[in-house]
Amino acid sequence: MRCGDFRTTYAEDMAIFETAFARRLLAVFVAASLFLPLFATSYWLDVLNRICIAIVAAMGLNILTGFTGQISLGNAAFLAVGGYTTAALANRFDLPFLLVIPISGLVTAMVGMVFGIPSLRLKGLYLAMATLAAHFIVTFLAVHWELITGGVNGISVPAAHVFRYELSDDRRLFYLILPITVLLLFFARNLFRTKVGKAFVAIRDQDISAEVMGVDVFRYKLLSFGASSFYVGVAGSLLAYQARLISPENFPISLAIDQLGMIIIGGLGSVLGSILGAAFLTLLPEVLRLASSALAGAFPGMIELFASVKMGVFGLTIILFLIFEPDGMAARWRTIKNYWKLYPFSY
């Protein structure tokens, strides 16, 4: 039996999925996902929908931070822009979700590019503080622009509907959220095979060298902010359709920290890392909650300590990954795959 990863043409070298096994595995996953809502409980469907939304948001942040090297703490603000844009379009104009979701993404992309302008002059911690300012500006507008946002009381979002069929529960929403997640991941995977994606990576590795080679650094930094914010805006739109009521409390600064943790744990500069990190950090609180409930009989104080335990485990997890696996879960998967020589399954 042949073993190894052999490529004899440019088409094979540029393929999105390197092996036939990967393509078959994806097909099985998609097919299984279509039948999953028929068996899963409403609780786990809610968790799965939140995982998919987190994957889209983490992928957006990874485009900016992992692939382009621009640190951002503004993801919660861009989620809010996408969510409130969705609420405004769905309430005021009664537009279908097929128009609302991409428009929300585009509006968020434009806002993200505005806050990306300082990236020409700022780097590292200074750029992070500039994007953090976006969070406080958007939060201020969300609280005080009551005509659009509903202020601290929030604003309701009508259910997404296909003709007269409402996607009003998590089971139905799953069939909206999952295809959008798969489509955006496919686009992200393909993006970094293009000239634009390679320019992003060149800027991350060394922006001065990239500029010497002819890369318009400012233009591609803005494009990176736009692409990243589009993804996050779509995630905010999906979150609005799932929550059905959004307020400033839905978008705390801790949400941006969580998503930064997702790409650190999953793996910077990796599509797979965005998936693994988002799934891990979304499931972690649920596992801790179930464990706290199970131990509540023996230790009655566990329920009250849940929030503190959650934050402690979150911080400890990031520290352990930075020490023992700084390249994230995606790098560990590649190591395991290479060790066990899974390539024979390619044929």
Side-chain angles (χ1 to χ4, degrees):
M1 179 170 58
R2 291 183 295 172
C3 180
D5 184 14
F6 300 101
R7 300 166 185 165
T8 57
T9 66
Y10 286 113
E12 290 177 353
D13 191 52
M14 292 294 291
I16 295 179
F17 301 103
E18 297 178 353
T19 65
F21 176 71
R23 291 190 291 271
R24 288 193 289 266
L25 189 63
L26 177 64
V28 170
F29 169 78
V30 172
S33 299
L34 294 176
F35 292 99
L36 186 60
L38 302 178
F39 306 100
T41 64
S42 58
Y43 170 77
W44 285 110
L45 283 171
D46 172 70
V47 173
L48 287 171
N49 285 336
R50 287 191 285 114
I51 287 174
C52 289
I53 293 171
I55 287 172
V56 175
M59 187 68 252
L61 183 59
N62 220 341
I63 290 173
L64 183 64
T65 301
F67 286 98
T68 318
Q70 308 299 298
I71 300 176
S72 173
L73 294 175
N75 252 32
F78 301 140
L79 277 169
V81 173
Y84 282 116
T85 302
T86 295
L89 293 175
N91 281 316
R92 291 176 175 269
F93 303 103
D94 196 26
L95 293 178
F97 71 87
L98 289 175
L99 290 177
V100 170
I101 292 174
I103 291 175
S104 299
L106 290 173
V107 170
T108 311
M110 288 188 288
V111 173
M113 292 175 76
V114 169
F115 285 103
I117 291 174
S119 65
L120 178 63
R121 298 289 183 184
L122 303 178
K123 296 181 182 179
L125 181 62
Y126 300 100
L127 181 59
M129 295 304 295
T131 56
L132 182 62
H135 174 80
F136 295 109
I137 292 171
V138 171
T139 300
F140 177 84
L141 292 175
V143 171
H144 293 89
W145 197 4
E146 297 185 8
L147 182 64
I148 300 297
T149 65
V152 294
N153 295 321
I155 184 171
S156 61
V157 181
H161 58 274
V162 180
F163 300 109
R164 295 185 178 180
Y165 185 75
E166 286 193 350
L167 306 178
S168 55
D169 57 25
D170 286 305
R171 180 168 282 101
R172 296 175 180 178
L173 273 173
F174 183 79
Y175 290 110
L176 166 65
I177 295 174
L178 179 67
I180 291 176
T181 303
V182 172
L183 179 64
L184 290 176
L185 289 174
F186 182 82
F187 180 84
R189 175 77 173 176
N190 193 57
L191 173 64
F192 296 101
R193 300 162 64 241
T194 67
K195 174 185 175 182
V196 174
K198 294 183 185 302
F200 289 170
V201 175
I203 292 171
R204 177 196 67 190
D205 292 341
Q206 182 53 260
D207 57 348
I208 296 177
S209 298
E211 190 168 16
V212 169
M213 291 187 295
V215 175
D216 188 340
V217 173
F218 183 52
R219 176 191 171 195
Y220 283 108
K221 281 184 178 180
L222 282 186
L223 279 175
S224 178
F225 269 94
S228 171
S229 301
F230 177 85
Y231 272 67
V232 180
V234 170
S237 181
L238 295 175
L239 179 63
Y241 276 123
Q242 188 201 26
R244 299 289 301 278
L245 176 67
I246 56 172
S247 69
E249 293 181 356
N250 291 96
F251 310 103
I253 186 62
S254 60
L255 192 58
I257 304 300
D258 287 346
Q259 291 174 4
L260 192 59
M262 288 175 187
I263 64 172
I264 291 173
I265 290 174
L268 291 168
S270 168
V271 175
L272 179 61
S274 302
I275 299 171
L276 296 177
F280 180 84
L281 280 187
T282 305
L283 286 171
L284 181 62
E286 305 304 324
V287 172
L288 292 175
R289 183 178 291 109
L290 293 174
S292 299
S293 300
L295 295 173
F299 305 97
M302 284 299 296
I303 301 297
E304 289 75 13
L305 290 175
F306 171 74
S308 300
V309 171
K310 173 188 170 183
M311 294 304 297
V313 172
F314 174 76
L316 181 62
T317 302
I318 291 181
I319 291 172
L320 291 176
F321 266 93
L322 290 174
I323 294 173
F324 297 106
E325 193 54 81
D327 293 330
M329 299 171 72
R332 176 54 55 185
W333 164 245
R334 285 193 296 268
T335 302
I336 294 172
K337 186 174 67 172
N338 292 335
Y339 180 80
W340 288 105
K341 302 295 183 184
L342 296 183
Y343 290 115
F345 295 102
S346 305
Y347 300 97

